[in-house]
Amino acid sequence: SNNSGFATASTFSRCVCVMLMCISLFPVSLAPCPSLPGGYEEHSSSSRAAGMNGNGPSKFVDPLEDPLPGVGTYEDFNTIDWVREKTKDRDRHREITNKSKLSTVALLHSISDAFSGWLLMLLVGLMSGALAGGIDIAAHWLTDMKEGVCLIGFWFNHEHCCWTSNETTFKERDQCPQWQSWAELITGTSEGPFAYIMNYLMYIFWALLFAFLAVTLVRAFAPYACGSGIPEIKTILSGFIIRGYLGKWTLIIKTITLVLAVSSGLSLGKEGPLVHVACCCANILCHLFTKYRKNEAKRREVLSAAAAVGVSVAFGAPIGGVLFSLEEVSYYFPLKTLWRSFFAALVAAFTLRSINPFGNSRLVLFYVEFHAPWHMLELAPFILLGIFGGLWGALFIRANIAWCRRRKTTRLGHYPVMEVLVVTALTAVVAYPNSYTRMSGAELISELFNDCSLLDSSQLCGYKPVKTGVGNSLADRPAGEGLYTALWQLALALVFKIMVTVITFGMKVPSGLFIPSMAVGAIAGRLLGVGMEQLAYYHHDWFLFKGWCSPGADCITPGLYAMVGAAACLGGVTRMTVSLVVIMFELTGGLEYIVPLMAATMTSKWVADAFGREGIYEAHIRLNGYPFLEPKEEFEHSSLTVDVMRPRRSDPALAVLTQEGMTVEEVEALVESTRYSGFPVVVSQESQRLVGFVFRRDLLISIDNARKRQEGVVGASQVVFTEHAPAHAADAPPPLRLRGILDLSPFTVTDHTPMDITVDIFRKLGLRQCLVTHNGRLLGIITKKDILKHMAQIANRDPDSILFN
């Protein structure tokens, strides 16, 4: 059974580039096998690792007595053995607990070991919150720089520049002498067609400059810094290893280029990439603690908590972040990880609140407070928004995957810099004339969520003056000329956002999908909300409005419809449900609007699932060929393990090792002639009775170190996996005892086990392979890759699309 995967040529070349640069910049301790530093550096060995001792030919090599660095670690693009990692951690914890009863020093070591997880979560929260605050401030500043500059300090954005101005009026609160547009600086005037053209050209220039810097930095220094990062995070949390993806260099470049990409005006957000940034922080900080540096499974528990931290600082939603990690990205989420995720998200949110990047003493830019309650009859338009969100989600996933596949299979993928520049230029040229596409995604959503009051000068509040409502709120009133202008601009913005987001997501720059999806839904929701509002104003006597929407009453809130639409579209794209609802009410403070959000979100998921059960992240995982067993996907075929296992009837016999009788030379020849990641060990070739399983990497490292560290080990030395070494002639070379690297309890199933049961075993235990037996006799092996290929065949997909081990 072939249990090794191969990256595409482009991925391989990128890996080589990152490896060379990172080695020169960051000296790290690596395992004997070459690997990419910065992501999952392997410094450790397990308690069962192989080691060599002995000073003469009469001594046997026993891996249990002298552990070797490198044994128990994994190669790049391989899947970890969850069972072995959890067993290793249990053995380590049991040893520390037993020693703590013997001395005070050991007791203190036990206490520090137990506290190290919480300390790590504290550091992750502080680091992620600080980075997120810096990204928010820098992105806001560079976004405003496309339109002008502050004379009293170029580092001030537009809002901060005008804070201390005495000349600012109520109607022109965003105008002040300290802030000048590029036309004013260059031509000396802000009025007229020439000034407009000058501002237009400067807007395009800055957009192209920011985009060029972003794609160049990603391409030259950290290819893994592009995209959202969430599909790869999900794959890594399932046990896959992508070295360098969560490394120091990736973190630095992603942080810088994320600011540049958002500021360029492309239809993307920084929220998804912040999950990647937080996971990079967690992976780097893990190397400060031995418990997490030496255990891949424990490190993934920290990464699950870091995913919650990423959403917490992205939206200012700590509870929603924990639920997002649990629902969307985590593969293994024990109760201890839930508590630590909550703590880390709390620390990150507090850190971001202390930095106060938006200057409004809140965690989010578009915090809103709606005053009017919603009525039961409004559930109908809310569900309509859910249907729109589901249709948009299904359409977007299909269109984006088709475009990304075209990018991978055609010459378009060979020119990432040119693609980014062309899309940026197109976006800037089309976006500038429309004020709703010119502003950033967060500002657009804030504008659409806004509940009009007497103090608002927005075009969306351009109603005809009539009798006002209670207090500072506006009662329903007829739309004025300003509102009609805003509506057709919003309609154009909706079409533009739908089209440009499809080709933007997946380019070689950091790009999140949360804000663009929410913007599409918020525009649709605001349009529907204004329509409902005008319908209620002109037809108060209809049976739909009679009794709850009397003339002059403030009964329809267009901003609420925008909020529900944003949740519906985001749910249709990502298929989130519970975490999305919690994020939305934390994001907006609309606690009493949970029912409309739930109705729209569930409707959106049902409609989108009718066209395909995959969300955008699962679709990109499948497009990239990552070995990920989707927990939501059901296996409904009635096949048995004997139908899927290797070897098939036409294949050569299964490559196995015997527990004794094979020489070092024969073992090395078998390993060199195959590409398998591991080998079953049997009693003999005749009986085929199963003894255990040994990994290829552990075997090679043990043999190589035995040749270096033990006298007399030659090609004719016997390799034994038995507990007691067999007798050998006095003139024979000493045997090589490798029982310490042998897994004596490999998972096995019978040849008649249904495949749906086998798939559940792989999902719930995180297995990388499982042996198939019949009456105790070894028949074959099933790997995760075999299962994925079988599922692809059942779904009429290309099984060779599963690229990696």
Side-chain angles (χ1 to χ4, degrees), residues 658-681:
T658 56
Q659 65 177 354
E660 58 185 42
M662 294 184 71
T663 63
V664 169
E665 196 171 38
E666 291 172 341
V667 171
E668 288 180 327
L670 178 64
V671 172
E672 289 298 322
S673 63
T674 60
R675 299 194 302 269
Y676 309 141
S677 291
F679 301 91
V681 178

PDB file of all heavy atoms in Angstrom, residues 658-681:
ATOM      1  N   THR A 658       9.665  -9.484   8.524  1.00  0.00           N
ATOM      2  CA  THR A 658       9.480 -10.579   9.476  1.00  0.00           C
ATOM      3  C   THR A 658      10.145 -10.210  10.792  1.00  0.00           C
ATOM      4  O   THR A 658      11.107  -9.429  10.828  1.00  0.00           O
ATOM      5  CB  THR A 658      10.082 -11.884   8.937  1.00  0.00           C
ATOM      6  OG1 THR A 658      11.470 -11.677   8.628  1.00  0.00           O
ATOM      7  CG2 THR A 658       9.350 -12.324   7.664  1.00  0.00           C
ATOM      8  N   GLN A 659       9.638 -10.800  11.882  1.00  0.00           N
ATOM      9  CA  GLN A 659      10.156 -10.394  13.194  1.00  0.00           C
ATOM     10  C   GLN A 659      11.595 -10.840  13.414  1.00  0.00           C
ATOM     11  O   GLN A 659      12.296 -10.305  14.273  1.00  0.00           O
ATOM     12  CB  GLN A 659       9.250 -10.927  14.297  1.00  0.00           C
ATOM     13  CG  GLN A 659       9.200 -12.434  14.416  1.00  0.00           C
ATOM     14  CD  GLN A 659       8.337 -12.882  15.592  1.00  0.00           C
ATOM     15  OE1 GLN A 659       7.880 -12.061  16.370  1.00  0.00           O
ATOM     16  NE2 GLN A 659       8.118 -14.192  15.716  1.00  0.00           N
ATOM     17  N   GLU A 660      12.068 -11.828  12.658  1.00  0.00           N
ATOM     18  CA  GLU A 660      13.468 -12.218  12.689  1.00  0.00           C
ATOM     19  C   GLU A 660      13.793 -12.943  11.390  1.00  0.00           C
ATOM     20  O   GLU A 660      12.895 -13.378  10.666  1.00  0.00           O
ATOM     21  CB  GLU A 660      13.782 -13.110  13.893  1.00  0.00           C
ATOM     22  CG  GLU A 660      12.956 -14.378  13.959  1.00  0.00           C
ATOM     23  CD  GLU A 660      13.211 -15.174  15.228  1.00  0.00           C
ATOM     24  OE1 GLU A 660      13.300 -14.534  16.282  1.00  0.00           O
ATOM     25  OE2 GLU A 660      13.331 -16.401  15.140  1.00  0.00           O
ATOM     26  N   GLY A 661      15.063 -13.012  11.088  1.00  0.00           N
ATOM     27  CA  GLY A 661      15.465 -13.721   9.883  1.00  0.00           C
ATOM     28  C   GLY A 661      15.884 -12.820   8.736  1.00  0.00           C
ATOM     29  O   GLY A 661      16.538 -13.280   7.801  1.00  0.00           O
ATOM     30  N   MET A 662      15.532 -11.543   8.778  1.00  0.00           N
ATOM     31  CA  MET A 662      15.927 -10.615   7.719  1.00  0.00           C
ATOM     32  C   MET A 662      17.189  -9.864   8.133  1.00  0.00           C
ATOM     33  O   MET A 662      17.353  -9.501   9.299  1.00  0.00           O
ATOM     34  CB  MET A 662      14.811  -9.616   7.403  1.00  0.00           C
ATOM     35  CG  MET A 662      13.565 -10.238   6.810  1.00  0.00           C
ATOM     36  SD  MET A 662      12.306  -9.002   6.351  1.00  0.00           S
ATOM     37  CE  MET A 662      13.106  -8.239   4.919  1.00  0.00           C
ATOM     38  N   THR A 663      18.079  -9.628   7.185  1.00  0.00           N
ATOM     39  CA  THR A 663      19.303  -8.892   7.464  1.00  0.00           C
ATOM     40  C   THR A 663      19.084  -7.402   7.222  1.00  0.00           C
ATOM     41  O   THR A 663      18.095  -6.985   6.611  1.00  0.00           O
ATOM     42  CB  THR A 663      20.451  -9.384   6.573  1.00  0.00           C
ATOM     43  OG1 THR A 663      20.116  -9.111   5.203  1.00  0.00           O
ATOM     44  CG2 THR A 663      20.676 -10.879   6.759  1.00  0.00           C
ATOM     45  N   VAL A 664      20.035  -6.601   7.705  1.00  0.00           N
ATOM     46  CA  VAL A 664      19.974  -5.160   7.496  1.00  0.00           C
ATOM     47  C   VAL A 664      19.949  -4.849   6.006  1.00  0.00           C
ATOM     48  O   VAL A 664      19.213  -3.972   5.540  1.00  0.00           O
ATOM     49  CB  VAL A 664      21.175  -4.468   8.179  1.00  0.00           C
ATOM     50  CG1 VAL A 664      21.276  -3.002   7.759  1.00  0.00           C
ATOM     51  CG2 VAL A 664      21.078  -4.582   9.688  1.00  0.00           C
ATOM     52  N   GLU A 665      20.754  -5.577   5.239  1.00  0.00           N
ATOM     53  CA  GLU A 665      20.821  -5.352   3.795  1.00  0.00           C
ATOM     54  C   GLU A 665      19.476  -5.639   3.131  1.00  0.00           C
ATOM     55  O   GLU A 665      19.022  -4.874   2.261  1.00  0.00           O
ATOM     56  CB  GLU A 665      21.905  -6.253   3.201  1.00  0.00           C
ATOM     57  CG  GLU A 665      22.350  -5.852   1.815  1.00  0.00           C
ATOM     58  CD  GLU A 665      23.570  -6.655   1.383  1.00  0.00           C
ATOM     59  OE1 GLU A 665      23.641  -7.869   1.708  1.00  0.00           O
ATOM     60  OE2 GLU A 665      24.438  -6.076   0.728  1.00  0.00           O
ATOM     61  N   GLU A 666      18.809  -6.704   3.545  1.00  0.00           N
ATOM     62  CA  GLU A 666      17.508  -7.046   2.973  1.00  0.00           C
ATOM     63  C   GLU A 666      16.448  -6.015   3.347  1.00  0.00           C
ATOM     64  O   GLU A 666      15.598  -5.651   2.524  1.00  0.00           O
ATOM     65  CB  GLU A 666      17.085  -8.444   3.449  1.00  0.00           C
ATOM     66  CG  GLU A 666      17.922  -9.570   2.880  1.00  0.00           C
ATOM     67  CD  GLU A 666      17.611 -10.907   3.524  1.00  0.00           C
ATOM     68  OE1 GLU A 666      17.033 -10.909   4.646  1.00  0.00           O
ATOM     69  OE2 GLU A 666      17.934 -11.942   2.925  1.00  0.00           O
ATOM     70  N   VAL A 667      16.494  -5.543   4.589  1.00  0.00           N
ATOM     71  CA  VAL A 667      15.529  -4.527   5.022  1.00  0.00           C
ATOM     72  C   VAL A 667      15.738  -3.237   4.227  1.00  0.00           C
ATOM     73  O   VAL A 667      14.785  -2.616   3.745  1.00  0.00           O
ATOM     74  CB  VAL A 667      15.662  -4.265   6.533  1.00  0.00           C
ATOM     75  CG1 VAL A 667      14.823  -3.055   6.940  1.00  0.00           C
ATOM     76  CG2 VAL A 667      15.230  -5.501   7.329  1.00  0.00           C
ATOM     77  N   GLU A 668      16.998  -2.817   4.081  1.00  0.00           N
ATOM     78  CA  GLU A 668      17.279  -1.591   3.332  1.00  0.00           C
ATOM     79  C   GLU A 668      16.874  -1.728   1.869  1.00  0.00           C
ATOM     80  O   GLU A 668      16.358  -0.778   1.259  1.00  0.00           O
ATOM     81  CB  GLU A 668      18.766  -1.246   3.432  1.00  0.00           C
ATOM     82  CG  GLU A 668      19.173  -0.742   4.805  1.00  0.00           C
ATOM     83  CD  GLU A 668      20.650  -0.415   4.880  1.00  0.00           C
ATOM     84  OE1 GLU A 668      21.447  -1.094   4.196  1.00  0.00           O
ATOM     85  OE2 GLU A 668      21.007   0.520   5.628  1.00  0.00           O
ATOM     86  N   ALA A 669      17.083  -2.904   1.296  1.00  0.00           N
ATOM     87  CA  ALA A 669      16.677  -3.123  -0.100  1.00  0.00           C
ATOM     88  C   ALA A 669      15.168  -3.027  -0.242  1.00  0.00           C
ATOM     89  O   ALA A 669      14.656  -2.449  -1.216  1.00  0.00           O
ATOM     90  CB  ALA A 669      17.181  -4.487  -0.573  1.00  0.00           C
ATOM     91  N   LEU A 670      14.422  -3.579   0.737  1.00  0.00           N
ATOM     92  CA  LEU A 670      12.969  -3.513   0.695  1.00  0.00           C
ATOM     93  C   LEU A 670      12.484  -2.068   0.817  1.00  0.00           C
ATOM     94  O   LEU A 670      11.580  -1.632   0.096  1.00  0.00           O
ATOM     95  CB  LEU A 670      12.370  -4.366   1.826  1.00  0.00           C
ATOM     96  CG  LEU A 670      10.839  -4.363   1.941  1.00  0.00           C
ATOM     97  CD1 LEU A 670      10.204  -4.974   0.708  1.00  0.00           C
ATOM     98  CD2 LEU A 670      10.381  -5.087   3.197  1.00  0.00           C
ATOM     99  N   VAL A 671      13.117  -1.314   1.714  1.00  0.00           N
ATOM    100  CA  VAL A 671      12.719   0.083   1.907  1.00  0.00           C
ATOM    101  C   VAL A 671      13.030   0.904   0.660  1.00  0.00           C
ATOM    102  O   VAL A 671      12.228   1.735   0.227  1.00  0.00           O
ATOM    103  CB  VAL A 671      13.424   0.672   3.142  1.00  0.00           C
ATOM    104  CG1 VAL A 671      13.164   2.165   3.242  1.00  0.00           C
ATOM    105  CG2 VAL A 671      12.953  -0.027   4.418  1.00  0.00           C
ATOM    106  N   GLU A 672      14.190   0.679   0.065  1.00  0.00           N
ATOM    107  CA  GLU A 672      14.591   1.456  -1.105  1.00  0.00           C
ATOM    108  C   GLU A 672      13.735   1.138  -2.323  1.00  0.00           C
ATOM    109  O   GLU A 672      13.526   1.989  -3.186  1.00  0.00           O
ATOM    110  CB  GLU A 672      16.064   1.193  -1.430  1.00  0.00           C
ATOM    111  CG  GLU A 672      17.030   1.804  -0.432  1.00  0.00           C
ATOM    112  CD  GLU A 672      16.920   3.323  -0.386  1.00  0.00           C
ATOM    113  OE1 GLU A 672      16.734   3.941  -1.455  1.00  0.00           O
ATOM    114  OE2 GLU A 672      17.000   3.887   0.712  1.00  0.00           O
ATOM    115  N   SER A 673      13.240  -0.079  -2.409  1.00  0.00           N
ATOM    116  CA  SER A 673      12.470  -0.482  -3.594  1.00  0.00           C
ATOM    117  C   SER A 673      10.998  -0.079  -3.501  1.00  0.00           C
ATOM    118  O   SER A 673      10.244  -0.298  -4.444  1.00  0.00           O
ATOM    119  CB  SER A 673      12.561  -2.004  -3.778  1.00  0.00           C
ATOM    120  OG  SER A 673      11.967  -2.683  -2.673  1.00  0.00           O
ATOM    121  N   THR A 674      10.582   0.488  -2.379  1.00  0.00           N
ATOM    122  CA  THR A 674       9.183   0.893  -2.201  1.00  0.00           C
ATOM    123  C   THR A 674       9.136   2.336  -1.722  1.00  0.00           C
ATOM    124  O   THR A 674      10.150   2.912  -1.325  1.00  0.00           O
ATOM    125  CB  THR A 674       8.474  -0.006  -1.170  1.00  0.00           C
ATOM    126  OG1 THR A 674       9.158   0.105   0.091  1.00  0.00           O
ATOM    127  CG2 THR A 674       8.462  -1.464  -1.620  1.00  0.00           C
ATOM    128  N   ARG A 675       7.947   2.892  -1.771  1.00  0.00           N
ATOM    129  CA  ARG A 675       7.747   4.265  -1.287  1.00  0.00           C
ATOM    130  C   ARG A 675       6.735   4.283  -0.145  1.00  0.00           C
ATOM    131  O   ARG A 675       6.154   5.325   0.147  1.00  0.00           O
ATOM    132  CB  ARG A 675       7.248   5.159  -2.428  1.00  0.00           C
ATOM    133  CG  ARG A 675       8.200   5.275  -3.583  1.00  0.00           C
ATOM    134  CD  ARG A 675       7.804   6.429  -4.508  1.00  0.00           C
ATOM    135  NE  ARG A 675       6.450   6.258  -5.019  1.00  0.00           N
ATOM    136  CZ  ARG A 675       6.157   5.628  -6.155  1.00  0.00           C
ATOM    137  NH1 ARG A 675       7.117   5.100  -6.884  1.00  0.00           N
ATOM    138  NH2 ARG A 675       4.897   5.521  -6.564  1.00  0.00           N
ATOM    139  N   TYR A 676       6.513   3.180   0.512  1.00  0.00           N
ATOM    140  CA  TYR A 676       5.512   3.109   1.564  1.00  0.00           C
ATOM    141  C   TYR A 676       5.994   3.813   2.827  1.00  0.00           C
ATOM    142  O   TYR A 676       7.180   3.862   3.113  1.00  0.00           O
ATOM    143  CB  TYR A 676       5.176   1.648   1.888  1.00  0.00           C
ATOM    144  CG  TYR A 676       4.828   0.827   0.670  1.00  0.00           C
ATOM    145  CD1 TYR A 676       5.262  -0.484   0.562  1.00  0.00           C
ATOM    146  CD2 TYR A 676       4.080   1.376  -0.365  1.00  0.00           C
ATOM    147  CE1 TYR A 676       4.952  -1.240  -0.559  1.00  0.00           C
ATOM    148  CE2 TYR A 676       3.767   0.630  -1.482  1.00  0.00           C
ATOM    149  CZ  TYR A 676       4.213  -0.679  -1.587  1.00  0.00           C
ATOM    150  OH  TYR A 676       3.907  -1.406  -2.706  1.00  0.00           O
ATOM    151  N   SER A 677       5.025   4.341   3.588  1.00  0.00           N
ATOM    152  CA  SER A 677       5.367   5.058   4.817  1.00  0.00           C
ATOM    153  C   SER A 677       5.562   4.133   6.011  1.00  0.00           C
ATOM    154  O   SER A 677       6.006   4.581   7.062  1.00  0.00           O
ATOM    155  CB  SER A 677       4.269   6.079   5.152  1.00  0.00           C
ATOM    156  OG  SER A 677       4.267   7.110   4.213  1.00  0.00           O
ATOM    157  N   GLY A 678       5.219   2.884   5.861  1.00  0.00           N
ATOM    158  CA  GLY A 678       5.394   1.946   6.944  1.00  0.00           C
ATOM    159  C   GLY A 678       5.231   0.518   6.463  1.00  0.00           C
ATOM    160  O   GLY A 678       4.761   0.264   5.348  1.00  0.00           O
ATOM    161  N   PHE A 679       5.618  -0.437   7.332  1.00  0.00           N
ATOM    162  CA  PHE A 679       5.592  -1.850   6.953  1.00  0.00           C
ATOM    163  C   PHE A 679       5.021  -2.684   8.104  1.00  0.00           C
ATOM    164  O   PHE A 679       5.437  -2.515   9.259  1.00  0.00           O
ATOM    165  CB  PHE A 679       6.999  -2.351   6.635  1.00  0.00           C
ATOM    166  CG  PHE A 679       7.670  -1.597   5.520  1.00  0.00           C
ATOM    167  CD1 PHE A 679       8.457  -0.481   5.799  1.00  0.00           C
ATOM    168  CD2 PHE A 679       7.498  -1.971   4.201  1.00  0.00           C
ATOM    169  CE1 PHE A 679       9.069   0.229   4.791  1.00  0.00           C
ATOM    170  CE2 PHE A 679       8.118  -1.271   3.174  1.00  0.00           C
ATOM    171  CZ  PHE A 679       8.897  -0.169   3.466  1.00  0.00           C
ATOM    172  N   PRO A 680       4.078  -3.565   7.794  1.00  0.00           N
ATOM    173  CA  PRO A 680       3.647  -4.515   8.821  1.00  0.00           C
ATOM    174  C   PRO A 680       4.771  -5.513   9.120  1.00  0.00           C
ATOM    175  O   PRO A 680       5.580  -5.845   8.248  1.00  0.00           O
ATOM    176  CB  PRO A 680       2.453  -5.229   8.162  1.00  0.00           C
ATOM    177  CG  PRO A 680       2.087  -4.392   6.978  1.00  0.00           C
ATOM    178  CD  PRO A 680       3.330  -3.713   6.542  1.00  0.00           C
ATOM    179  N   VAL A 681       4.818  -5.948  10.355  1.00  0.00           N
ATOM    180  CA  VAL A 681       5.787  -6.957  10.777  1.00  0.00           C
ATOM    181  C   VAL A 681       5.018  -8.231  11.105  1.00  0.00           C
ATOM    182  O   VAL A 681       4.058  -8.200  11.888  1.00  0.00           O
ATOM    183  CB  VAL A 681       6.599  -6.481  11.994  1.00  0.00           C
ATOM    184  CG1 VAL A 681       7.576  -7.552  12.449  1.00  0.00           C
ATOM    185  CG2 VAL A 681       7.345  -5.190  11.668  1.00  0.00           C
TER     186      VAL A 681
END
